Amino acid sequence: MAPLVFVHGIRLSGAAWTEQLERSAHPATAVDLPGHGTRRGERFSMAAAADAIADAIEEPALVVGHSLGGYVAIAAAARYPERVAGLVLADSTYLPGRTLETPFRVAHRLLMRLPDQGERLSRWQFRSVLPPKLAEAVIGGGIATEVIPDVAEAFADFDVLAELAAYPGPTWLVNGSRDHFRRHERRFLDACADGRLVTVPKAGHYLPMARGREFAQLVLDAARSLSSSGKSEAPGVALG
């Protein structure tokens, strides 16, 4: 089976994938994007983030991205299609624009005004929605609130549907049924050269972390399908 490369969401780090790495039965790695985790202090750009993914791939891999990580995975697949055997994009089907950028910038300003730059509030957030062990891993990996403006700027000229359409390989669009980032999922599906849409009932935006066992099975099914006579099949999870 193809190795796995996991790509985290905004402000987080590769530590967000701790449970998935533990559950994986074959080679898997998690990257830190520029401005996050071990790379805090670096400027984030979509090109630099796509390069970070490509640099982590030694042979064609199934790239699994969550939220921001899904958008970056699309950018990497468009730029380096020969390195990406398939994409699993979790909670990453909202078109960038002012309706996405404005809340990010407002949240950044509010958090940065706090004495601890929102660290205490962010820790409470993750502890309230994630399993305890994973929440502590996420917190330990660092919460990079300061990177939000760079991410918002990177989205300003990122044509995600064109980038997605440029990738010829199989793509799984995976959304929690309660996730606000699924708003444009049908337009993303239409842009895929070889796509399928998977909806996990009663799951929210943190599906890969909050529902780790289910998500690990979905990723495993996707990886297995890449190995079956060159054809991809929809993973066996609930469809909405």
Side-chain angles (χ1 to χ4, degrees):
M1 285 187 288
L4 307 177
V5 174
F6 291 99
V7 193
H8 61 79
I10 191 169
R11 301 196 302 149
L12 304 184
S13 71
W17 297 107
T18 299
E19 180 180 1
Q20 295 301 314
L21 294 176
E22 291 174 349
R23 290 184 179 279
S24 177
H26 55 295
T29 189
V31 303
D32 281 349
L33 296 176
H36 299 77
T38 58
R39 302 183 65 174
R40 289 181 78 172
E42 297 182 26
R43 295 297 300 270
F44 178 93
S45 71
M46 202 61 73
D51 287 346
I53 295 175
D55 289 344
I57 298 175
E58 296 182 357
E59 60 181 285
L62 178 64
V63 180
V64 183
H66 172 240
S67 195
L68 170 63
Y71 294 96
V72 176
I74 292 170
R79 290 164 173 77
Y80 305 101
E82 73 285 354
R83 302 192 190 187
V84 180
L87 290 172
V88 175
L89 309 175
D91 306 305
S92 307
T93 54
Y94 194 110
L95 287 174
R98 288 193 177 276
T99 56
L100 182 60
E101 178 184 350
T102 300
F104 278 6
R105 291 191 181 276
V106 170
H108 174 259
R109 286 197 295 269
L110 293 175
L111 290 171
M112 297 302 284
R113 288 175 183 172
L114 297 175
D116 64 351
Q117 299 184 343
E119 184 75 14
R120 182 178 178 182
L121 179 61
S122 296
R123 290 182 178 188
W124 172 85
Q125 175 193 4
F126 292 119
R127 284 172 174 152
S128 67
V129 299
L130 302 182
K133 181 180 176 181
L134 182 56
E136 296 311 310
V138 166
I139 292 168
I143 303 171
T145 298
E146 71 277 4
V147 80
I148 292 176
D150 279 354
V151 173
E153 182 178 344
F155 274 134
D157 59 356
F158 181 58
D159 189 342
V160 63
L161 295 184
E163 299 264 325
L164 183 57
Y167 174 60
T171 300
W172 287 262
L173 305 174
V174 184
N175 289 324
S177 65
R178 297 174 178 172
D179 181 29
H180 55 290
F181 267 66
R182 62 178 296 206
R183 179 175 179 180
H184 303 114
E185 58 188 17
R186 290 291 170 180
R187 293 183 65 180
F188 277 72
L189 182 62
D190 289 343
C192 293
D194 178 13
R196 69 279 299 135
L197 177 63
V198 181
T199 305
V200 180
K202 299 181 181 180
H205 187 65
Y206 291 104
L207 161 65
M209 293 178 282
R211 304 271 286 271
R213 183 184 297 274
E214 292 172 71
F215 190 76
Q217 184 61 54
L218 187 154
V219 171
L220 178 60
D221 290 345
R224 284 174 172 166
S225 77
L226 293 177
S227 303
S228 61
S229 67
K231 296 182 180 180
S232 57
E233 301 171 357
V237 300
L239 301 180

